C-alpha cells in the first residue's frame, strides 16, 4: 500500500469518526464496500513479480441493529458487494484464489454505526464455511 493510500485511509477514518461521534447512525452500503476494498488492500500479498493475491472470502460483522438492516438488504446487496470486490481486484491487478463470497454476521462487540470485516483466502479446497453467516452468501466467478 502506498503513502497516498495510507493518507487516504487515515483521512477517511478521521472524518468517519468525527461524524459518527455525535449520535446514533447506521451503516450504509457504500461504507461496507469501502471496508471490503480496504480489507483486500491490507491483506493482499505478492507471490511473485506481477502476481498479487488478495482475499476473496469476507464476513462483515455488524452491531445487532445494523445487522437487521443489512439482513433486510439481503442477497442483492451481498451480490453487489461481490461484484465490487471483483471490480476492485481487476483494477488493482489482484488475483483471487477462488469465488468471491460476502456474508453478514451479527456481533455484540461491534458498536452501532460501525462494522468489522474479517477476510481470508479461500481456494474452495476446504469444505468448512464461516460459522453463523445467516445471510446467504453470493458468489461470483
Amino acid at each position: 500500500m502506498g503513502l497516498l493510500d495510507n493518507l487516504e485511509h487515515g483521512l477517511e477514518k478521521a472524518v468517519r469518526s468525527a461524524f459518527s461521534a455525535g449520535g446514533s447512525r447506521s451503516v450504509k452500503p457504500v461504507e461496507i464496500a469501502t471496508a471490503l476494498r480496504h480489507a483486500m488492500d491490507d491483506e493482499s500479498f505478492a507471490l511473485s513479480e506481477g502476481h498479487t493475491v488478495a482475499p476473496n472470502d469476507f464476513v462483515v460483522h455488524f452491531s445487532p441493529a445494523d445487522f437487521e438492516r443489512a439482513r433486510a438488504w439481503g442477497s442483492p446487496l451481498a451480490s453487489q458487494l461481490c461484484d465490487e470486490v471483483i471490480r476492485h481486484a481487476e483494477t488493482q491487478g489482484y488475483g483471487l484464489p477462488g469465488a468471491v463470497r460476502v456474508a453478514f454476521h451479527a456481533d455484540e462487540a461491534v458498536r452501532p454505526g460501525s462494522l468489522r470485516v474479517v477476510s481470508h483466502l479461500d481456494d474452495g479446497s476446504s469444505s468448512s464455511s464461516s460459522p453463523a453467516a445467516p445471510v446467504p452468501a453470493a458468489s461470483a466467478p
Side-chain angles (χ1 to χ4, degrees), residues 37-87:
R37 287 190 299 269
H38 285 302
M40 289 180 74
D41 293 341
D42 292 345
E43 299 297 322
S44 64
F45 60 92
L47 277 181
S48 62
E49 187 174 334
H51 187 69
T52 302
V53 177
N56 62 314
D57 189 11
F58 304 88
V59 178
V60 184
H61 294 255
F62 298 96
S63 70
D66 288 329
F67 171 75
E68 288 304 320
R69 185 168 183 199
R71 193 163 99 173
W73 294 325
S75 292
L77 176 62
S79 179
Q80 288 294 318
L81 292 170
C82 287
D83 291 345
E84 181 58 29
V85 165
I86 293 167
R87 225 179 344 269

Side-chain angles (χ1 to χ4, degrees), residues 13-28:
K13 193 173 180 180
V15 169
R16 187 180 313 137
S17 65
F19 284 104
S20 66
S24 67
R25 64 182 247 355
S26 58
V27 174
K28 310 262 186 296

